[in-house]
Amino acid sequence: MATGSSTSKRGFASMDGDRQREIASKGGKSVPAEKRSFSQDRELASEAGRKGGQASGSTRSNQE
């Protein structure tokens, strides 16, 4: 019985846009920069991205 206009006052999606932006802007700020390995090492981030792409692509090709 889901409709496009929900009257629920719960959840992130029902908040006003300013409040959503305020909460979203806090993402990642709780971890100090020196602990964020990808922000310090671009090669590590690049390698992780490749591994993720290979993993998701391999399951897709097995399903066909």
Side-chain angles (χ1 to χ4, degrees):
M1 191 160 60
T3 62
S5 59
S6 175
T7 57
S8 175
K9 301 291 182 202
R10 298 174 53 181
F12 191 76
S14 68
M15 295 178 187
D16 95 346
D18 290 335
R19 181 71 175 133
Q20 286 182 353
R21 280 187 286 283
E22 177 188 339
I23 292 170
S25 72
K26 294 178 181 181
K29 290 183 181 177
S30 62
V31 179
E34 62 274 4
K35 300 262 183 174
R36 292 186 225 143
S37 59
F38 289 156
S39 68
Q40 300 297 310
D41 188 347
R42 292 178 59 86
E43 186 58 38
L44 180 64
S46 178
E47 182 181 336
R50 278 192 299 276
K51 285 182 180 178
Q54 290 169 352
S56 64
S58 68
T59 58
R60 237 180 249 154
S61 63
N62 290 341
Q63 291 175 352
E64 290 179 6

